[in-house]
Amino acid sequence: ALEVRRAVEAERNNPVYLVNLGRGLLYSGLVTEAEPLIRRAMAIREKLQGPNHPATAVCLNSLGIVF
């Protein structure tokens, strides 16, 4: 149980996981649930890699699907 908890905690700050989960929710029609995850992924990407990095653009593209 401790290993699972650690894995979940690690994923909370993993932008790849967050944007993928957000996109899955989007495609399932759960836009309200998806948006905060994608925004969080984008904030992490911007902080780590900057606003002009291609990985940040992927998050921005996913956020564009929300609207």
Side-chain angles (χ1 to χ4, degrees):
L2 183 57
E3 288 179 32
V4 171
R5 186 172 189 175
R6 285 182 183 156
V8 169
E9 290 296 321
E11 295 302 327
R12 292 178 121 174
N13 294 315
N14 181 334
V16 173
Y17 172 79
L18 292 170
V19 79
N20 286 340
L21 180 57
R23 289 182 105 170
L25 291 168
L26 275 177
Y27 298 138
S28 297
L30 302 170
V31 176
T32 305
E33 292 83 352
E35 183 180 355
L37 296 173
I38 296 169
R39 286 188 182 277
R40 184 173 177 175
M42 193 166 85
I44 293 168
R45 287 287 190 194
E46 284 182 333
K47 184 177 179 181
L48 293 176
Q49 297 169 310
N52 296 321
H53 193 277
T56 305
V58 169
C59 295
L60 188 58
N61 181 56
S62 296
L63 190 59
I65 296 170
V66 171
F67 299 102

